[in-house]
Amino acid sequence: MVELKTDTSIDAMYETGQVVGRALTAVRKAADIGVSLLELDEVAHDVLRSAGAGSPFLGYRPSFAPTPFPAVLCTSVNDAIVHGIPTNYRLRDGDLLSADFGAELGGWAGDSAISFVVGRPRPDDLRLIETAERALAAGIEAAVVGNRIGDIAHAIGTVCRAAGYGIPDGFGGHGIGRRMHEDPPVPNEGRPGRGLPLRHGMVLAIEPMLIASGADGYHAAADGWTLRTNDGSRAAHAEHTVAITTTGPRVLTAR
């Protein structure tokens, strides 16, 4: 069931989204050579505490997970696509880091992700990240009243495939509201004009995930959470929480 949010509720979700945006900005600023992933998790946790917000990630356990998620931040490095658990790993020059973060405030959730390079970037990594951001922008542009879920999926997939990148099957965006994961699912590839019609008040987390080699294969790491590319190629992830309104898409996690 898809819950349509009122304009007042969307305004409240915007406040949650700004906590998410501040946390990701702080994480990016703190991420440097020699900084551990656990230290970045603590940076994000500090933002939650200062805002009086909670974490929808900490303790979350979907059906595929062997254990509850132990952190407030997902940190996926290099060949990790999503769901990376923060560890004592210390960032190295040239690492590609995807940081995914959520917050709960006033009964509403927000979810967003960024990818960036620590230290000196490889040109191929910059192109991968830029394409993830363009795919996200294309998906947001398609998130308008009168379109369908398939139009968002098609917009994202078209950008990714045209650039020669892979798309991990089975993982994509989702509805969001009082819970982090709600209906409807939002695939990263699909046919235009298909799927659920988009209506004023729907709120979606739109999140393209790209694999640099062009292959789509991935597997779960030993921790049961981190998804890694099968061929060891790098991955990037970009995400925003977006409200669909009669005046156009409203990005609630804008930084």
Side-chain angles (χ1 to χ4, degrees), residues 145-167:
V145 173
N147 273 358
R148 293 176 176 266
I149 291 291
D151 294 304
I152 297 175
H154 178 71
I156 292 171
T158 297
V159 172
C160 296
R161 295 300 189 188
Y165 295 129
I167 300 171

Side-chain angles (χ1 to χ4, degrees), residues 191-240:
R191 298 175 64 181
R194 299 294 183 92
L196 191 70
L198 304 181
R199 299 171 59 189
H200 179 89
M202 291 175 65
V203 181
L204 307 174
I206 300 173
E207 50 178 324
M209 306 163 194
L210 285 65
I211 298 175
S213 66
D216 297 346
Y218 63 91
H219 63 276
D223 62 23
W225 272 99
T226 308
L227 299 184
R228 296 190 178 278
T229 62
N230 282 346
D231 57 11
S233 61
R234 295 192 171 201
H237 178 205
E239 178 184 16
H240 271 309

Side-chain angles (χ1 to χ4, degrees), residues 22-38:
R22 289 198 298 274
L24 287 175
T25 298
V27 166
R28 183 164 189 169
K29 183 177 180 180
D32 203 352
I33 297 167
V35 174
S36 77
L37 301 180
L38 281 173

